[in-house]
Amino acid sequence: MRARRSFWRRCCAAAGGLVLFAGLLAGVTAGGGRLPAGAAAGAASRDGAAAGAASRDGAAGTHHRASRGRVLLVGTFDGRRGRYASIQAAVDAARPGDTILIGPGDYHASDDLAHPPTPAQAALGDFGGVLVTTPRLTIRGMDRSTVIVDGTRPGSPACDPARAAQVLGPLDPRGGHYGTNGIVVFRAGAVTVQNLTVCNFLSGKGASGNGIWWNGGAQTAKIGLARYRGAYLTATTTYYGSPAVAPTYGIFANNAAGPASWAHIYASNFDDSGMYVGACQQRCDVTVTNAWMEYNALGYSGTNSGGAIVIEHSRFEHNQDGFDTNTQIYGDPPPPQNGDCPGTTSSPITHTRSCWVFRYNLVEDNNDAHAPIAPGGYASAGPVGTGMTISGGRNDTVTDNTFTGNAAWGVLFVPFPDKDRPYPGVTCQGSGGHEVTGFGCVYDPEGDALLHNTFSDNGSWHNPTNGDYGQITLFGHEPQDCFAGNSAPDGSTPSTLERVQARCGRMSAASDSGGALLGQVECDTGFGLCPKGAHYPKPSASSVDLHRLPRGLTSMPNPCKGVPANAWCKGGRPI
């Protein structure tokens, strides 16, 4: 999170061989691009949803129960004016169980300016252009592309890239700016957000820079909300400016428990990640399906997020690092990132204790050294040209995906060293880490599984060890990762992984740095001297490229489904 960046620079150099890992409205048609064989839409239902998560709340957010509450109308739809001119006004008037429908328009959301947060609220992220504190609401746009929640100044064109149009947010006591957030659901359970676009919400000195945020209380180490859904959502920015004000996360949930789902979501141009799930204490219980993340520092980021997480039928492409999940001793506590099933259950997908599943996804061409970055942050250390990085994560299953065109590595399993002070009540040893003098708490990847994936055309930068997948472990006598059934023509490092570590659940005998792999990854992340002849592009805040939205992002087929009759909807259809 942005609030962590003050200490993000205090991280590990390369001495001793350890490496830090991290962490316009135009409208390619949904369903475009290549997905792995067997990844047809609808396959999500074949094993039950998300270890039982999504099935309780509707399949990945696309099923809508009939609402029994009121319907509050914002703006105008088909010539019929609603009662409310602003989204916030409707949110303030809503009661639990109500549905808010939003007509097409450019809504310059500014509740954070009208009601500036206190320093304590700013640290928690308890502020936004639209602030939702009422539970059991549905907030739904009538059209995904033309209902725009906009962080730029009123009167500016939609998502205006001009510097003068940007809003830096409310002032802090020292005259700085807290930054802005788009839609913030703060400690309010069972809130659904659907069918709209957010843009140009900038970061600052508070917990900010987030497009759509289900926030159970940033950095509290407590679950503050449960049961959330998002579907047909777009988050982007047309303005970067500098790392001090750049947008941070697109679609974001922390300190939030399931059952939860995100479906048909898109995010681009964020300097941390397009989407994020973290700090959910083995209670994440979320399914993500039909997501498309591109042109971000990280397509996905997940700190200390575990239990039942299923990410499927999604695309991660043109990011710096396509997908990164990690363990961290301070940020978004408590550690570790652990995909172990909650309680005594097993996964209906893996039929093992691993309920964290990444399957049927396309991870392609994640080589963008010009994506937005925050220098010194964990996300900026994501190795450029890598499809997926499991950084100190454990009990995660990666199966039946396609990794192609990633110029460094398709998948890396690597340690995460963290020099930050432990969160109160957390110890390194107690959370599964190893204290290493000069490097803080180091977490190895443990008990992860890479199974039956298809790799092609990875490692095209041709540095030593570049290829399909690799593993670095710094300690022995811990649950080993396992590798089986992968089609990997460009090889692995070590090359014997599928022979020596084919069985899951065994204990490792010793550490294995992967030989030359350690130095190559240190070079790529920028936290070590590069071996002679190594070449990796270096991200820079001075060479950031932003990208327009793709055409044809799919809108919700029927925004009136499940909504009581009102001036815009009759018989469950738009009038």
Side-chain angles (χ1 to χ4, degrees):
M1 293 173 163
R2 178 68 60 173
R4 297 198 298 259
R5 292 191 180 176
S6 61
F7 56 80
W8 275 0
R9 296 180 183 274
R10 294 184 277 120
C11 51
C12 321
L18 292 175
V19 57
L20 172 70
F21 297 103
L24 197 297
L25 297 168
V28 178
T29 302
R34 292 176 285 119
L35 288 176
S45 62
R46 67 182 65 167
D47 292 313
S55 60
R56 295 193 291 273
D57 239 30
T62 58
H63 173 74
H64 313 296
R65 297 172 179 165
S67 171
R68 296 182 179 178
R70 303 173 302 159
V71 180
L72 289 68
L73 306 180
V74 181
T76 299
F77 178 72
D78 197 25
R80 296 172 173 86
R81 185 183 299 276
R83 178 175 179 179
Y84 300 94
S86 73
I87 302 170
Q88 188 67 54
V91 167
D92 291 342
R95 299 192 295 257
D98 287 350
T99 295
I100 297 170
L101 295 182
I102 309 167
D106 185 21
Y107 297 87
H108 295 271
S110 57
D111 182 72
D112 48 359
L113 297 179
H115 304 95
T118 66
Q121 289 173 320
L124 289 172
D126 183 9
F127 68 104
V130 176
L131 181 64
V132 182
T133 57
T134 301
R136 294 193 294 115
L137 295 184
T138 295
I139 301 170
R140 184 183 299 175
M142 295 298 288
D143 182 88
R144 177 180 185 171
S145 295
T146 61
V147 175
I148 304 166
V149 183
D150 193 340
T152 63
R153 298 185 183 279
S156 302
C159 307
D160 191 344
R163 180 177 181 179
Q166 309 311 311
V167 175
L168 302 181
L171 292 172
D172 69 10
R174 296 186 178 182
H177 291 273
Y178 282 130
T180 61
N181 293 303
I183 300 174
V184 176
V185 180
F186 188 76
R187 290 179 171 169
V191 172
T192 295
V193 182
Q194 299 166 322
N195 213 37
L196 50 79
T197 292
V198 298
C199 63
N200 290 50
F201 289 96
L202 308 181
S203 60
K205 297 181 181 298
S208 55
N210 309 299
I212 304 169
W213 186 6
W214 285 266
N215 180 1
Q219 293 297 107
T220 62
K222 297 178 181 178
I223 298 297
L225 67 85
R227 303 182 69 90
Y228 62 92
R229 293 190 303 168
Y232 298 96
L233 299 173
T234 299
T236 192
T237 184
T238 63
Y239 180 80
Y240 175 75
S242 74
V245 300
T248 309
Y249 297 100
I251 299 170
F252 185 15
N254 72 298
N255 298 84
S261 62
W262 287 339
H264 301 280
I265 61 173
Y266 174 92
S268 62
N269 297 333
F270 289 92
D271 79 351
D272 197 298
S273 62
M275 64 173 167
Y276 179 97
V277 176
C280 36
Q281 301 186 18
Q282 300 298 105
R283 296 167 57 191
C284 295
D285 200 6
V286 60
T287 295
V288 179
T289 186
N290 294 107
W292 184 6
M293 302 286 118
E294 62 177 352
Y295 302 118
N296 306 287
L298 307 175
Y300 169 99
S301 178
T303 297
N304 300 331
S305 53
I309 297 181
V310 176
I311 300 169
E312 57 189 2
H313 306 296
S314 296
R315 299 163 60 181
F316 302 85
E317 55 190 352
H318 309 302
N319 303 286
Q320 175 182 314
D321 180 359
F323 189 105
D324 197 306
T325 190
N326 75 305
T327 293
Q328 188 175 330
I329 200 166
Y330 182 80
D332 268 3
Q337 188 281 307
N338 187 357
D340 188 35
C341 296
T344 60
T345 62
S346 62
S347 166
I349 298 173
T350 66
H351 306 293
T352 71
R353 289 284 304 166
S354 174
C355 277
W356 189 107
V357 183
F358 184 85
R359 65 173 185 169
Y360 308 142
N361 300 295
L362 173 65
V363 186
E364 180 178 32
D365 295 335
N366 291 284
N367 308 310
D368 188 1
H370 299 288
I373 65 164
Y378 290 148
S380 70
V384 185
T386 304
M388 181 181 210
T389 311
I390 306 291
S391 306
R394 55 190 62 181
N395 301 314
D396 300 332
T397 297
V398 181
T399 184
D400 296 301
N401 304 284
T402 293
F403 296 89
T404 183
N406 303 290
W409 300 275
V411 180
L412 287 175
F413 297 86
V414 294
F416 192 98
D418 190 349
K419 289 185 69 175
D420 297 324
R421 68 187 186 280
Y423 191 85
V426 174
T427 65
C428 179
Q429 185 176 9
S431 57
H434 302 262
E435 288 283 0
V436 178
T437 301
F439 297 96
C441 188
V442 181
Y443 298 91
D444 258 353
E446 299 179 16
D448 303 306
L450 186 72
L451 308 172
H452 310 295
N453 298 282
T454 299
F455 293 86
S456 64
D457 300 316
N458 297 298
S460 61
W461 287 337
H462 300 299
N463 296 290
T465 77
N466 284 176
D468 290 326
Y469 60 93
Q471 174 195 256
I472 298 170
T473 60
L474 299 176
F475 307 94
H477 309 290
E478 56 194 14
Q480 72 177 17
D481 304 320
C482 62
F483 306 83
N486 299 291
S487 174
D490 294 302
S492 70
T493 302
S495 61
T496 58
L497 284 174
E498 287 226 2
R499 177 168 56 85
V500 175
Q501 293 180 216
R503 297 268 313 265
C504 301
R506 291 184 170 183
M507 300 296 287
S508 63
S511 62
D512 191 340
S513 67
L517 179 62
L518 185 68
Q520 292 294 321
V521 177
E522 287 180 329
C523 173
D524 192 3
T525 59
F527 285 92
L529 297 176
C530 289
K532 185 176 180 179
H535 54 91
Y536 298 92
K538 299 303 180 185
S540 170
S542 64
S543 62
V544 167
D545 288 339
L546 300 181
H547 294 261
R548 293 171 62 91
L549 293 180
R551 295 185 181 276
L553 290 170
T554 302
S555 190
M556 181 178 289
N558 177 13
C560 289
K561 186 173 182 178
V563 177
N566 59 80
W568 297 353
C569 303
K570 184 177 181 180
R573 305 292 303 181
I575 292 176

